[in-house]
Amino acid sequence: MAETSTNPGGSNPERPPHFIEQMIDADNAAGRWGMWPTTTTPRVHTRFPPEPNGYLHIGHAKSICLNFGLAKKYAGKFNLRFDDTNPAKEEQEYVDSIKRDVKWLGGEFDDGPNAGGVFFASDYFDQMYEFAKELILKGKAYVCELSAEEVAKRRGSPTVPATSPYRDRPIDESMRLFREMKLGRFPNGSKTLRAKIDLASPNFNLRDPVMYRILHEAHHNTGDKWCLYPMYDWAHGLEDSLEGITHSICTLEFENHRPLYDWFMNAINEGRTPDGSGPWGRIVHHSQQIEFAKLQLTYTVLSKRNLLRMVNEGLVRGWDDPRMPTISALRRRGFPASAIRDFADEVGCTKTESVIDIGRLENAVRHTLNKTAPRAMGVLRPLKVTIENWPEGKTDELDFVVNPEDASAGTRKVSFGREIYIEQDDFMENPPKKFFRLAPGQEVRLRWAYFITCTGVEKDAAGNVVGVRATYDPATRGGDAPLGPDGKPTKKVKGTIHWVGAHNAIEAEVRLFDRLFAAEAPGERTGKWEDDLNKHSLEVVRAKLDPALAAAKPGETYQFERLGYFTADPDGAAGSPVFCRTITLKDTWAKEAGREANG
RNA sequence: UGGGGAUUGGUGUAACGGUAGCACGACUGACUCUGACUCAGUUAGUCUAGGUUCAAAUCCUAGAUCCCCAGCCA
């Protein structure tokens, strides 16, 4: 399916620049990061640095769109970098899914003008180790032999300093122990390398943070080469430095870490010179950390930990269950990547923590799909209508407009006959005033077909409506009333309803999704998000569909007219599709009817 | 009881001492062979209290509320 977007790069030129763009504009004006080689284009190099310990979700999408969007806007580069410094939590499966999801969203990391490449923190372990030894030599790091429990005990309080008896150990002793740590001579947790900063700092991140811990554990990338793994704070700035990242964008909770980020880079650069003269060599690149507020959504839980629990506890059918907020689930459900990009751009980028109405995402999806999705008719809850004055066995092939928003999509044929199905909701035996659909004595238009008038109702023994009888008006073929002498239609009907022919409709499973959570802020009420799970988030129906839909391939999205957008699911087989409801159409009638019912 | 951030209509977001604007929602209406889409209109806001200024969302002072921080997680 062709994808269009009002802003394909995820960056709308009409929109005023957000605070990060303003910073970049200022940096560029000041020449802060220099130019790309042989150009006069100021260097802007961003990265998306996920830890491969889970599937990416819509919150990550915001970050990907932000970082890639900046690289694109400023004709710079964008890296995908796996922050794989903790072998205990990371897996190849997640690496694969993250690559797939970033690429699908439009983050070009290995192909295209803004592709900077794909990298792994673990690729830099050797260089990080060398930098660490340099800090030891400079007297800025030491090997500490306190256990984790002891460190916690000695952490102090905001006003009471921490302590460590190993802080003033001689440089050569730390160096020897650090080398032996690498050689695997010590068990897990027995020693750490700590930065010597300030045990009394009100910012706990500066109270001699751990740079390396001993972890005898195989790594998905480096195997069993290492038993010494760097901590995030030590590693991250080095990764950015080695890749020449200019703007290292992260979320708000890392604001307290920025002084440490800068301390590490300054410690490395102390004694280094621009031309490399002197004992420590050339100054290394020091990028700018910038924090922004991560995405939060109503009716949604967004944290890898909790999403992992939903998967493991069987609350959903997997990471790509279409009710999940993961990228792979949204893709399966039929949300177009361009709609997610538009959404990310619309919600903006600030340091204010805000909660976005999930309806904004849904609207972005409707907006995109309205222009791209071919239309079809399908009946979710069928009610049979018999056209009494239509000859038995006769069919009529009528023109159906494939997409009213896109004339180039053309028309195709739909087949009409004596028996058809309409939606149960489109018939009422005792309708309220403004019900424009089918009711006894009332006339409606069958979309692209004929006007019909309801002449009777068939009921079962219990009094339920099981069928409807009607007559059609032969003069309305194609759905238009004949014109009178004044050139105007001789009659008008208020309602148009969708239908499928009983003689040729296919039957298909259709999965109707509702929000996974029934509460706007899951867990707010009781402290447990489980208590707010929506028990009706999945409904499965057997629908009657236009036979043309039998050919739908997984991933293709159609608008079932008057109902919503539906995407063929991989669970379907050739000729017997399964559809997921991507999103409903807006339904002001349902709103009105609901209002009336509630008084 | 320490440190770091944030606060503008219902929601999100502009303004960078000089007319508080935009988007989404909601509500009206127009249009309509989708009660969709589209279009038009209406609605509604600067956390509080002082101060500086001809002029304050913006600067100053004091306060309020919310978020983050004491992992060998990221």
Side-chain angles (χ1 to χ4, degrees), chain A residues 140-142 193-197 207-211 263-264:
Chain A
K140 292 179 181 298
Y142 61 96
L193 184 71
R194 295 177 71 177
K196 192 171 177 179
I197 306 180
R207 315 255 269 217
D208 287 12
V210 171
M211 296 165 65
W263 187 92
F264 277 133

Side-chain angles (χ1 to χ4, degrees), chain A residues 18 20 51 99 103 108 127 143 164 181 211-212 222 239 311 325 330 343 353 369 400 413 420 434 477 544:
Chain A
H18 55 65
I20 297 180
E51 181 186 15
K99 282 184 183 171
K103 187 163 279 194
E108 301 169 357
Q127 291 162 91
V143 170
S164 168
M181 284 164 68
M211 296 165 65
Y212 278 96
T222 58
E239 297 159 20
V311 172
L330 299 179
F343 167 75
E353 289 187 62
L369 257 16
F400 177 89
K413 298 290 184 187
I420 61 167
K434 286 190 279 184
R477 183 172 188 273
K544 302 282 190 185

Side-chain angles (χ1 to χ4, degrees), chain A residues 184-206:
Chain A
R185 302 221 174 127
F186 309 116
N188 287 357
S190 59
K191 292 180 176 50
T192 57
L193 184 71
R194 295 177 71 177
K196 192 171 177 179
I197 306 180
D198 180 5
L199 289 174
S201 174
N203 180 348
F204 277 77
N205 295 126
L206 298 178

Side-chain angles (χ1 to χ4, degrees), chain A residues 271-562:
Chain A
R272 289 172 177 263
T273 54
D275 62 0
S277 62
W280 304 110
R282 191 184 297 272
I283 285 180
V284 303
H285 174 73
H286 179 167
S287 79
Q288 170 71 55
Q289 176 177 311
I290 303 167
E291 310 85 14
F292 76 104
K294 64 167 166 264
L295 178 70
Q296 300 183 84
L297 283 178
T298 57
Y299 297 99
T300 308
V301 165
L302 286 187
S303 89
K304 281 191 197 168
R305 189 176 146 268
N306 290 329
L307 296 180
L308 180 64
R309 271 191 52 204
M310 290 178 206
V311 172
N312 287 344
E313 293 175 17
L315 270 19
V316 293
R317 295 180 179 181
W319 285 104
D320 68 345
D321 184 309
R323 293 167 294 179
M324 290 281 274
T326 55
I327 306 290
S328 47
L330 299 179
R331 176 173 56 230
R332 179 172 181 181
R333 181 162 168 172
F335 281 31
S338 66
I340 295 173
R341 272 184 246 127
D342 289 349
F343 167 75
D345 196 60
E346 274 169 32
V347 301
C349 175
T350 65
K351 297 189 72 150
T352 309
E353 289 187 62
S354 55
V355 182
I356 308 294
D357 186 339
I358 185 81
R360 298 283 295 258
L361 211 210
E362 297 169 346
N363 281 336
V365 171
R366 288 191 185 97
H367 187 77
T368 301
L369 257 16
N370 177 50
K371 294 191 175 58
T372 59
R375 315 281 126 127
M377 292 194 284
V379 175
L380 264 24
R381 295 177 181 84
L383 175 65
K384 186 175 280 187
V385 178
T386 305
I387 315 292
E388 295 174 310
N389 56 342
W390 186 274
E392 203 94 41
K394 177 187 169 186
T395 60
D396 190 5
E397 307 304 306
L398 299 153
D399 287 323
F400 177 89
V401 175
V402 174
N403 185 350
E405 303 282 330
D406 177 8
S408 72
T411 64
R412 62 183 174 80
K413 298 290 184 187
V414 287
S415 181
F416 188 79
R418 180 178 160 88
E419 291 193 327
I420 61 167
Y421 293 108
I422 65 168
E423 206 69 57
Q424 286 173 19
D425 284 351
D426 287 340
F427 175 80
M428 282 184 92
E429 193 176 11
N430 301 297
K433 296 160 294 293
K434 286 190 279 184
F435 186 79
F436 304 142
R437 286 110 99 142
L438 199 63
Q442 209 158 295
E443 188 171 39
V444 293
R445 171 189 293 113
L446 294 175
R447 182 106 159 128
W448 305 121
Y450 293 93
F451 287 13
I452 60 168
T453 303
C454 175
T455 55
V457 179
E458 295 159 13
K459 296 183 180 180
D460 64 12
N464 303 308
V465 175
V466 294
V468 171
R469 291 192 307 280
T471 56
Y472 84 106
D473 178 351
T476 57
R477 183 172 188 273
D480 292 307
L483 302 179
D486 58 355
K488 290 180 183 160
T490 49
K491 62 178 171 182
K492 279 191 174 177
V493 288
K494 222 23 189 151
T496 299
I497 64 175
H498 60 278
W499 56 276
V500 293
H503 62 288
N504 69 342
I506 60 165
E507 226 177 77
E509 176 178 325
V510 177
R511 299 170 183 171
L512 307 176
F513 302 110
D514 196 358
R515 293 165 180 168
L516 232 201
F517 291 92
E520 193 171 311
E524 190 181 50
R525 201 166 36 91
T526 63
K528 289 163 63 190
W529 51 260
E530 298 92 315
D531 295 335
D532 290 318
L533 278 166
N534 177 8
K535 292 177 182 63
H536 311 289
S537 61
L538 171 64
E539 184 188 357
V540 179
V541 298
R542 296 295 299 178
K544 302 282 190 185
L545 305 180
D546 182 327
L549 291 170
K553 295 183 187 64
E556 285 181 349
T557 302
Y558 294 82
Q559 185 194 106
F560 292 6
E561 292 211 327
R562 303 209 309 132

Side-chain angles (χ1 to χ4, degrees), chain A residues 94-112:
Chain A
Y94 298 133
V95 171
D96 298 337
S97 74
I98 288 168
K99 282 184 183 171
R100 187 165 58 237
D101 291 347
V102 172
K103 187 163 279 194
W104 177 74
L105 259 183
E108 301 169 357
F109 53 85
D110 63 359
D111 183 37

